[in-house]
């Protein structure tokens, strides 16, 4: 679809941006732009291709970029650091889009220990905020996802997760600054009261709260974001509930739910499935295509057929009380064992078991390193990530659907859920070798089948690769698709020309010449 | 401003609604409409007057009402039960508006014990949901504000508060059904996936979460709302931190904050100020105008110069651990004493100290009864409710500003804060006799002065009476008022004719013929 955007317009935009921001801010060579393509696209992909990349350092430069794009008529695709690899990295829905990348706009603007928050620019990585908290000596704990090189802002805008008490990263957002397609700068909530000390202290101002409107959308470009942080706890306790029977998942999930609902278990458990347990239950050779890879997946995963990471934070007395309650709840499940490790809240990263780093709020690269170690550097994956009810029956059905489709196509994948109190957020990483075109096609076929099978059960994804966006959006069918019609009307109101990230999450203006 | 709407159009709308819904659904006599005026307006008010009231019982009837209003060109002002007395009840910003009142659309559609939620229509009162939970025998706890006769939906849409762990009522919302000005019906989040079991289980679907967009706004009429509920705890512990020195508030607030930030104290403390403590510190006659009324306020309030209600919920072991931590934190403040009362989670309302009812999630009328008892049935009030930082210094400054303005004008009021972890939500009820016109005028003058003084410190209100909306909205000045410009653009996109609650929270379409 690169034809929809005139090459001459791309060149005009490029020249104008070089003139306005300097040539350092504009990346144009194949070698430079490569990093901003879909990192797992494999050879020969032609969709979702950026034209060039621009990297502003100030809000004023972002306004200037928007002005040029609007004047010339070329769409911008915003990515913060572009590290959401399983969901396409910086790859735009409309090929030819200019990638606006925030890696150079990466200041931690404030860390407030007393009120427990940070204010950051979109290029700030989880690593950066962690370092800044340590450098300031602030007694605060952050939440991070499995891979620490991503952007706090980008991850929260995509409804991303971590594993501590503040692990629902969208819910931890408090206050944004946003550059609109008009070039105007908006501050949400109490940030709109210029003199207010409350921008990062209260989510709501007067009138509707708009932070959520700028997540998973393309209504503006977020240039600052407030993020709530937890106080550093006296004790961090984390470990696993380990179940070694295939059908033990039903009782395990149903025992976890009340402990999540009443807040005994804090943070968000990651529950993983390893179909080939260490005890050799799987029969070698039975699954001729995937067997050796399945072994590798199991090796990269925590122990057990099922493993639920649980964590407690706070005063020692309360951490201990929580542990006792959980042990008691699982006593009646003989197939489940519980392992807990404890650390002081100010533990140094080198003293933490790598499996416990994210639970301790310490950004790291452990998971990616493990994948590289077992599968090599050409490992890629595509995700299927539906939200399902928090019940044992649904969990078991979900895992069986996934494993069956993977087995039918000779594929393997990492599979698990991030548990919220009322929802299991499925995360399925279907794995392939980016140099193996056949495997890439099979993997995408697998996700299509999963989407279809899930839709029959009323399940759909919370995030999606650009190639899957329209399929996911089509599931939102209530009232003749009235939700997406409203998304479109708001797009028309705020960005009628569709300059900002057209097609992001299936949102287009009605006059969509790119589509 | 009733002139802006043609009387003949109001009559046409009335006739069409009677024809469509039946005469039972349309209230037109003065006696009937009286209840939907500002209950505290006092004699002689001419602004914010409804023309007539329509009470649908189904979503289809709501759609029909919207269609008629749009065809005829008369605005509708939606109120759920209209019990938010301190903020104007059902009084519309544009006089002549038809009040769409939901008291007859009051079904509890679902209570799900396993996943901890309810789905309700907008006419459901806190009392109703409590009764329905009991009737079903569901082991769930709800959160309610001080007065239990209001609507769950209306209160949450106004960013209202209760006092339990789910006490931030807007945050407890999960999924809405909304009738748009176009007449279309929208479901938010995963409710838009027709077959999804997730509507009340996960706040976010795919694309931006819109629940927040329909709160404190006029973009649609909410006809169903999901509401998260807490599991019934083993133990409910609630009571007070009581401080008897005037300047003890600084240390008390600063000691509370870390206990809120780390979650030791659950729910939302209500911190009240009683300037005339029981020990007779105030000198009778010193405050000649307000002295006797001030005595009454103190009598209606919990004990102490300052009183912070704190609550713990859950397993007995954890409740006890929390209590020990809080006692220890306040040991070093000799002026603060702590009283805790404990109840089983399934306690009957008759066994609960009236001061503890809301902390136990039991809807009641205690506060209003107290006001009537001490001040008589003609007591009215107007609120000043700014959000301020959670620091002792700010709290002290805030209370002094309030008391000084009240004293200067010879007024008294109830004053306190609802504490969130990072914000003290001030609630000032300036009290008057609705039959005393001079006192009404003084009270409104007091709020104007408080608004002005607060604005100098960067503070503004989270809710406001219709007469104060535009003053509050004017505080949101960042970027040439870009936030309210965006509010207006979204209004234009979803309701260009301004049929739905024009002027609500200062939101108008650009072609605003009512204004």
């Amino acid at each position: 679809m690169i034809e929809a955007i005139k090459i001459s317009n791309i060149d005009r935009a490029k020249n104008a941006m070089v003139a306005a921001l300097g040539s350092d801010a504009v990346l144009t060579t194949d070698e430079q732009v490569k990093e901003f393509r879909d990192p797992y696209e494999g050879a020969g992909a032609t969709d979702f291709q950026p034209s060039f990349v621009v990297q502003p350092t100030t809000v004023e430069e972002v306004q200037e970029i928007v002005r040029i794009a609007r004047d010339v008529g070329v769409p911008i695709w915003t990515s913060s650091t572009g590290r959401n690899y399983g969901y396409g990295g910086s790859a735009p829905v409309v090929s030819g889009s200019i990638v606006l990348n925030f890696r150079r706009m990466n200041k931690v603007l404030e860390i407030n220990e007393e009120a427990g928050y940070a204010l950051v620019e979109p290029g700030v990585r989880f690593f950066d905020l962690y370092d800044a908290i340590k450098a300031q000596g602030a007694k605060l704990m952050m939440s991070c996802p499995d891979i620490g090189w991503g952007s706090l802002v980008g991850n929260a805008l995509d409804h991303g997760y971590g594993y501590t008490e503040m692990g629902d990263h969208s819910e931890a957002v408090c206050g944004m600054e946003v550059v609109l397609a008009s070039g105007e700068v908006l501050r949400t909530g109490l940030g709109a009261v210029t003199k207010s000390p409350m921008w990062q202290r209260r989510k709501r101002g007067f009138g509707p709260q708009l932070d959520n409107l700028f997540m998973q959308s393309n209504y503006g470009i977020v240039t600052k974001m407030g993020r709530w942080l937890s106080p550093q706890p006296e004790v961090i306790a984390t470990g696993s509930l380990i179940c070694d029977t295939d059908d033990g998942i039903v009782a395990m999930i149903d025992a976890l739910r009340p402990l999540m609902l009443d807040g005994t278990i804090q943070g968000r458990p990651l529950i993983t499935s390893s179909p080939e347990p260490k005890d050799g239950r799987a029969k070698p050779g039975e699954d001729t295509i995937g067997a050796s890879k399945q072994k590798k997946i199991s090796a990269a995963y925590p122990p057990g057929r099922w493993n639920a990471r649980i964590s407690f934070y706070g005063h020692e007395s309360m951490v201990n009380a929580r542990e006792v309650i959980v042990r008691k709840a699982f006593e009646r499940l003989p197939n489940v064992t519980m392992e807990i490790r404890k650390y002081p809240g100010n533990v140094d990263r080198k003293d933490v078991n790598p499996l416990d780093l994210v639970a301790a709020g310490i950004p790291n690269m452990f998971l990616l390193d493990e994948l590289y170690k077992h599968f090599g550097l050409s490992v890629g994956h595509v995700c299927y990530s539906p939200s399902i009810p928090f019940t044992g029956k649904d969990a078991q059905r979900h895992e069986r659907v996934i494993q069956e489709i993977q087995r039918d196509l000779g594929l393997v994948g990492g599979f698990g859920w991030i548990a919220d109190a009322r929802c299991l957020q499925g995360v399925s990483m279907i794995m392939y070798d980016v140099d193996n075109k056949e495997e890439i096609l099979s993997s995408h076929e697998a996700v299509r089948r999963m989407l279809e099978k899930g839709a029959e059960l009323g399940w759909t994804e919370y995030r999606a690769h650009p190639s899957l966006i329209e399929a996911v959006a089509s599931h939102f069918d209530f009232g003749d698709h009235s939700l997406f019609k409203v998304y479109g009307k708001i797009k028309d109101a705020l960005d009628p020309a569709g300059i900002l990230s057209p097609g992001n999450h299936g949102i287009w203006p009605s006059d969509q010449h790119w589509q």
Side-chain angles (χ1 to χ4, degrees), chain A residues 311-362:
Chain A
S311 311
F312 315 122
Y313 308 93
H315 293 268
E316 192 175 9
S317 60
M318 282 179 57
V319 165
N320 291 344
R322 293 175 194 278
E323 187 181 343
V324 169
I325 293 165
V326 176
R327 281 199 190 277
K328 188 145 181 263
F330 280 92
E331 257 170 19
R332 61 183 180 80
L333 302 184
N335 295 315
V336 178
T337 54
M338 180 167 154
E339 282 177 5
I340 294 288
R341 294 172 287 275
K342 291 184 185 166
Y343 305 99
N346 64 352
V347 64
D348 193 278
R349 67 162 69 233
K350 71 173 167 25
D351 299 325
V352 179
N353 181 323
L355 281 172
D356 299 340
L357 283 166
V358 289
I362 301 175

Coordinates of all heavy atoms in Angstrom, one line a residue, chain A residues 311-362:
Chain A
S311 N 3.7 -13.2 44.4 CA 4.5 -12.3 45.1 C 3.8 -11.6 46.1 O 2.6 -11.3 46.0 CB 5.1 -11.3 44.1 OG 5.7 -11.9 42.9
F312 N 4.5 -11.3 47.2 CA 4.0 -10.4 48.3 C 5.0 -9.3 48.6 O 6.2 -9.5 48.4 CB 3.9 -11.3 49.6 CG 3.3 -12.6 49.4 CD1 4.0 -13.8 49.8 CD2 2.0 -12.7 48.9 CE1 3.4 -15.0 49.6 CE2 1.4 -14.0 48.7 CZ 2.1 -15.1 49.1
Y313 N 4.5 -8.2 49.0 CA 5.3 -7.0 49.2 C 4.9 -6.3 50.5 O 3.7 -6.2 50.7 CB 5.2 -6.0 48.0 CG 5.5 -6.6 46.7 CD1 4.4 -7.1 45.9 CD2 6.7 -6.7 46.2 CE1 4.6 -7.6 44.7 CE2 7.0 -7.3 44.9 CZ 5.9 -7.7 44.2 OH 6.1 -8.3 43.0
G314 N 5.8 -5.8 51.3 CA 5.4 -4.9 52.4 C 6.1 -5.3 53.7 O 7.2 -5.8 53.7
H315 N 5.5 -4.9 54.8 CA 6.0 -5.2 56.1 C 6.2 -6.7 56.3 O 5.3 -7.5 55.8 CB 5.0 -4.6 57.2 CG 4.9 -3.2 57.2 ND1 5.7 -2.4 58.0 CD2 4.2 -2.3 56.5 CE1 5.4 -1.1 57.8 NE2 4.5 -1.0 56.9
E316 N 7.2 -7.1 57.0 CA 7.5 -8.5 57.1 C 6.3 -9.2 57.7 O 5.9 -10.3 57.3 CB 8.7 -8.7 58.0 CG 9.2 -10.1 58.0 CD 10.5 -10.3 58.8 OE1 10.9 -9.3 59.5 OE2 11.1 -11.4 58.7
S317 N 5.6 -8.6 58.7 CA 4.5 -9.3 59.4 C 3.4 -9.6 58.4 O 2.8 -10.7 58.4 CB 4.0 -8.4 60.5 OG 3.5 -7.2 60.1
M318 N 3.1 -8.7 57.5 CA 2.1 -8.9 56.6 C 2.4 -9.9 55.5 O 1.6 -10.7 55.0 CB 1.6 -7.6 56.0 CG 0.7 -6.9 57.0 SD 0.1 -5.3 56.4 CE -0.7 -5.7 54.9
V319 N 3.7 -9.8 55.0 CA 4.2 -10.8 54.0 C 4.0 -12.2 54.6 O 3.6 -13.1 53.9 CB 5.6 -10.4 53.6 CG1 6.3 -11.6 52.9 CG2 5.7 -9.2 52.8
N320 N 4.4 -12.3 55.8 CA 4.3 -13.7 56.5 C 2.9 -14.1 56.6 O 2.5 -15.3 56.3 CB 5.0 -13.6 57.8 CG 6.5 -13.5 57.7 OD1 7.1 -13.7 56.6 ND2 7.2 -13.1 58.8
A321 N 2.0 -13.2 57.0 CA 0.6 -13.5 57.1 C 0.0 -14.0 55.7 O -0.8 -14.9 55.6 CB -0.2 -12.3 57.6
R322 N 0.4 -13.3 54.7 CA -0.1 -13.6 53.3 C 0.4 -15.0 53.0 O -0.3 -15.8 52.4 CB 0.5 -12.6 52.3 CG -0.1 -11.2 52.4 CD 0.6 -10.3 51.4 NE 0.3 -8.9 51.8 CZ -0.8 -8.2 51.4 NH1 -1.8 -8.8 50.7 NH2 -1.0 -7.0 51.7
E323 N 1.7 -15.3 53.3 CA 2.3 -16.6 52.9 C 1.5 -17.7 53.6 O 1.2 -18.8 52.9 CB 3.7 -16.6 53.3 CG 4.4 -17.9 52.8 CD 5.9 -17.9 53.2 OE1 6.5 -16.9 53.6 OE2 6.5 -19.0 53.1
V324 N 1.2 -17.5 54.8 CA 0.5 -18.6 55.6 C -0.9 -18.8 54.9 O -1.3 -20.0 54.8 CB 0.3 -18.2 57.1 CG1 -0.7 -19.1 57.8 CG2 1.7 -18.2 57.8
I325 N -1.6 -17.8 54.6 CA -2.9 -17.9 54.0 C -2.9 -18.7 52.7 O -3.7 -19.6 52.4 CB -3.6 -16.5 53.8 CG1 -3.9 -15.9 55.1 CG2 -4.9 -16.6 52.9 CD1 -4.2 -14.4 55.0
V326 N -1.9 -18.4 51.9 CA -1.8 -19.0 50.5 C -1.4 -20.5 50.7 O -1.9 -21.4 50.1 CB -0.7 -18.3 49.6 CG1 -0.6 -19.1 48.3 CG2 -1.2 -16.9 49.4
R327 N -0.4 -20.7 51.6 CA 0.0 -22.2 51.9 C -1.3 -23.0 52.3 O -1.5 -24.1 51.9 CB 1.0 -22.2 53.0 CG 2.4 -21.9 52.5 CD 3.5 -22.4 53.4 NE 4.8 -21.8 53.0 CZ 5.6 -22.4 52.1 NH1 5.2 -23.4 51.4 NH2 6.7 -21.8 51.7
K328 N -2.1 -22.4 53.2 CA -3.2 -23.1 53.7 C -4.2 -23.4 52.5 O -4.8 -24.5 52.4 CB -3.9 -22.2 54.7 CG -5.0 -22.9 55.5 CD -5.1 -22.5 57.0 CE -6.2 -23.2 57.6 NZ -7.5 -22.4 57.7
A329 N -4.4 -22.4 51.6 CA -5.3 -22.6 50.5 C -4.9 -23.7 49.6 O -5.8 -24.3 49.0 CB -5.5 -21.2 49.8
F330 N -3.6 -23.9 49.5 CA -3.1 -24.9 48.5 C -2.8 -26.2 49.2 O -2.4 -27.2 48.5 CB -1.9 -24.4 47.7 CG -2.4 -23.5 46.6 CD1 -2.5 -22.1 46.8 CD2 -2.7 -24.0 45.4 CE1 -2.9 -21.3 45.8 CE2 -3.2 -23.2 44.3 CZ -3.3 -21.8 44.5
E331 N -2.9 -26.3 50.5 CA -2.7 -27.6 51.2 C -3.5 -28.7 50.7 O -3.1 -29.8 50.6 CB -3.0 -27.4 52.7 CG -1.8 -27.2 53.5 CD -2.1 -26.8 55.0 OE1 -3.3 -27.0 55.3 OE2 -1.3 -26.3 55.7
R332 N -4.8 -28.4 50.3 CA -5.7 -29.4 49.9 C -5.5 -29.8 48.4 O -6.2 -30.7 47.9 CB -7.1 -28.9 50.1 CG -7.5 -27.7 49.3 CD -8.9 -27.1 49.5 NE -9.1 -26.0 48.7 CZ -9.3 -26.0 47.4 NH1 -9.5 -27.1 46.7 NH2 -9.5 -24.9 46.7
L333 N -4.5 -29.2 47.7 CA -4.1 -29.6 46.4 C -2.8 -30.3 46.4 O -1.7 -29.7 46.4 CB -4.1 -28.4 45.4 CG -5.3 -27.6 45.3 CD1 -5.1 -26.5 44.2 CD2 -6.5 -28.4 44.9
P334 N -2.8 -31.7 46.6 CA -1.5 -32.4 46.8 C -0.5 -32.3 45.6 O 0.7 -32.5 45.8 CB -2.0 -33.8 47.0 CG -3.3 -33.9 46.4 CD -3.9 -32.5 46.5
N335 N -1.0 -31.9 44.4 CA -0.1 -31.9 43.3 C 0.6 -30.5 43.2 O 1.4 -30.3 42.2 CB -0.9 -32.1 42.0 CG -1.4 -33.5 42.0 OD1 -0.7 -34.5 42.3 ND2 -2.7 -33.7 41.6
V336 N 0.2 -29.6 44.1 CA 0.8 -28.3 44.0 C 1.8 -28.1 45.1 O 1.5 -28.3 46.3 CB -0.3 -27.2 44.0 CG1 0.3 -25.8 44.0 CG2 -1.3 -27.4 42.9
T337 N 3.0 -27.7 44.8 CA 4.0 -27.3 45.8 C 4.3 -25.8 45.7 O 4.0 -25.2 44.7 CB 5.3 -28.1 45.6 OG1 5.8 -27.8 44.3 CG2 5.1 -29.5 45.9
M338 N 4.7 -25.3 46.8 CA 5.0 -23.8 46.9 C 6.4 -23.5 47.3 O 6.9 -24.1 48.3 CB 4.0 -23.2 47.9 CG 4.1 -21.7 48.0 SD 2.6 -21.1 48.9 CE 3.2 -19.6 49.7
E339 N 7.0 -22.7 46.5 CA 8.4 -22.2 46.9 C 8.4 -20.7 46.9 O 8.0 -20.0 46.0 CB 9.3 -22.6 45.7 CG 9.8 -24.0 45.6 CD 10.6 -24.2 44.3 OE1 10.9 -23.2 43.6 OE2 10.9 -25.4 44.1
I340 N 9.0 -20.2 48.0 CA 9.0 -18.7 48.2 C 10.4 -18.3 48.6 O 11.1 -19.0 49.4 CB 8.0 -18.3 49.3 CG1 6.6 -18.5 48.9 CG2 8.2 -16.8 49.7 CD1 6.0 -17.6 47.9
R341 N 10.9 -17.3 47.9 CA 12.2 -16.7 48.2 C 12.0 -15.3 48.7 O 11.1 -14.6 48.2 CB 13.1 -16.7 47.0 CG 13.5 -18.1 46.5 CD 14.3 -18.1 45.2 NE 13.4 -17.8 44.1 CZ 12.6 -18.7 43.4 NH1 12.7 -20.0 43.8 NH2 11.9 -18.4 42.4
K342 N 12.8 -14.8 49.7 CA 12.5 -13.5 50.2 C 13.8 -12.6 50.1 O 14.9 -13.1 50.2 CB 12.1 -13.6 51.7 CG 10.8 -14.2 51.9 CD 10.3 -14.2 53.3 CE 8.9 -15.0 53.4 NZ 8.5 -15.4 54.7
Y343 N 13.5 -11.4 49.8 CA 14.6 -10.4 49.6 C 14.3 -9.1 50.4 O 13.1 -8.8 50.5 CB 14.8 -10.0 48.2 CG 15.0 -11.2 47.2 CD1 13.9 -11.7 46.5 CD2 16.2 -11.7 47.1 CE1 14.1 -12.8 45.6 CE2 16.4 -12.8 46.2 CZ 15.4 -13.3 45.5 OH 15.5 -14.4 44.6
P344 N 15.3 -8.4 50.9 CA 15.0 -7.1 51.4 C 14.5 -6.2 50.3 O 14.9 -6.4 49.1 CB 16.3 -6.6 52.0 CG 17.4 -7.4 51.3 CD 16.7 -8.7 50.9
G345 N 13.7 -5.2 50.6 CA 13.2 -4.3 49.5 C 14.2 -3.6 48.7 O 14.0 -3.3 47.5
N346 N 15.4 -3.3 49.3 CA 16.4 -2.6 48.6 C 17.5 -3.5 48.0 O 18.6 -3.2 47.8 CB 17.1 -1.6 49.6 CG 17.8 -2.3 50.7 OD1 17.6 -3.5 50.9 ND2 18.5 -1.6 51.5
V347 N 17.1 -4.8 47.8 CA 18.1 -5.8 47.3 C 18.8 -5.3 46.0 O 18.2 -4.7 45.2 CB 17.3 -7.1 47.0 CG1 16.3 -7.0 45.9 CG2 18.3 -8.3 46.8
D348 N 20.0 -5.7 45.9 CA 20.8 -5.4 44.7 C 20.5 -6.5 43.6 O 20.3 -7.6 44.0 CB 22.3 -5.5 45.0 CG 23.1 -4.9 43.9 OD1 23.4 -5.6 42.9 OD2 23.5 -3.7 44.0
R349 N 20.4 -6.0 42.4 CA 20.0 -6.9 41.3 C 20.9 -8.2 41.3 O 20.4 -9.3 40.9 CB 20.0 -6.2 40.0 CG 21.3 -5.8 39.4 CD 21.3 -5.6 37.9 NE 20.5 -4.4 37.6 CZ 19.5 -4.3 36.7 NH1 19.2 -5.4 36.1 NH2 18.9 -3.2 36.4
K350 N 22.1 -8.1 41.6 CA 23.0 -9.2 41.5 C 22.7 -10.3 42.5 O 23.1 -11.5 42.4 CB 24.5 -8.8 41.6 CG 24.9 -8.4 42.9 CD 26.5 -8.2 43.0 CE 26.9 -7.4 44.3 NZ 26.0 -7.5 45.4
D351 N 22.0 -10.0 43.5 CA 21.6 -10.9 44.6 C 20.2 -11.6 44.3 O 19.7 -12.3 45.2 CB 21.6 -10.3 46.0 CG 23.0 -9.7 46.3 OD1 24.0 -10.4 45.9 OD2 23.0 -8.6 46.9
V352 N 19.6 -11.3 43.2 CA 18.3 -11.8 42.9 C 18.3 -12.9 41.9 O 19.0 -12.8 40.9 CB 17.4 -10.7 42.4 CG1 16.0 -11.2 42.1 CG2 17.3 -9.5 43.4
N353 N 17.7 -14.0 42.2 CA 17.5 -15.1 41.2 C 16.9 -14.5 39.9 O 15.9 -13.8 40.0 CB 16.5 -16.1 41.9 CG 16.3 -17.3 41.0 OD1 16.2 -17.2 39.8 ND2 16.1 -18.5 41.6
P354 N 17.5 -14.8 38.8 CA 17.0 -14.2 37.5 C 15.5 -14.4 37.3 O 14.8 -13.5 36.8 CB 17.8 -15.0 36.4 CG 19.0 -15.5 37.1 CD 18.7 -15.7 38.5
L355 N 14.9 -15.5 37.8 CA 13.5 -15.8 37.6 C 12.7 -14.8 38.5 O 11.5 -14.6 38.2 CB 13.1 -17.2 38.1 CG 13.4 -18.3 37.1 CD1 13.2 -19.7 37.8 CD2 12.6 -18.2 35.9
D356 N 13.3 -14.2 39.5 CA 12.6 -13.3 40.4 C 12.7 -11.8 40.1 O 12.1 -10.9 40.7 CB 13.1 -13.5 41.8 CG 12.8 -14.9 42.3 OD1 12.0 -15.6 41.7 OD2 13.5 -15.4 43.3
L357 N 13.5 -11.5 39.1 CA 13.9 -10.1 38.8 C 12.6 -9.2 38.6 O 12.4 -8.2 39.2 CB 14.9 -9.9 37.7 CG 16.3 -10.3 38.0 CD1 17.2 -10.5 36.7 CD2 16.9 -9.2 38.9
V358 N 11.8 -9.6 37.6 CA 10.6 -8.8 37.3 C 9.7 -8.7 38.5 O 9.1 -7.6 38.7 CB 9.8 -9.3 36.1 CG1 10.6 -9.0 34.8 CG2 9.4 -10.7 36.2
A359 N 9.6 -9.8 39.3 CA 8.7 -9.7 40.5 C 9.3 -8.7 41.5 O 8.5 -8.1 42.3 CB 8.6 -11.1 41.1
A360 N 10.6 -8.5 41.5 CA 11.2 -7.5 42.3 C 11.2 -6.1 41.7 O 11.8 -5.2 42.3 CB 12.6 -7.9 42.7
G361 N 10.7 -6.0 40.5 CA 10.6 -4.7 39.8 C 12.0 -4.2 39.3 O 12.3 -3.0 39.2
I362 N 12.8 -5.2 38.9 CA 14.1 -4.9 38.4 C 14.2 -5.2 36.9 O 14.2 -6.4 36.6 CB 15.2 -5.7 39.2 CG1 15.1 -5.3 40.7 CG2 16.6 -5.4 38.7 CD1 16.1 -6.1 41.6

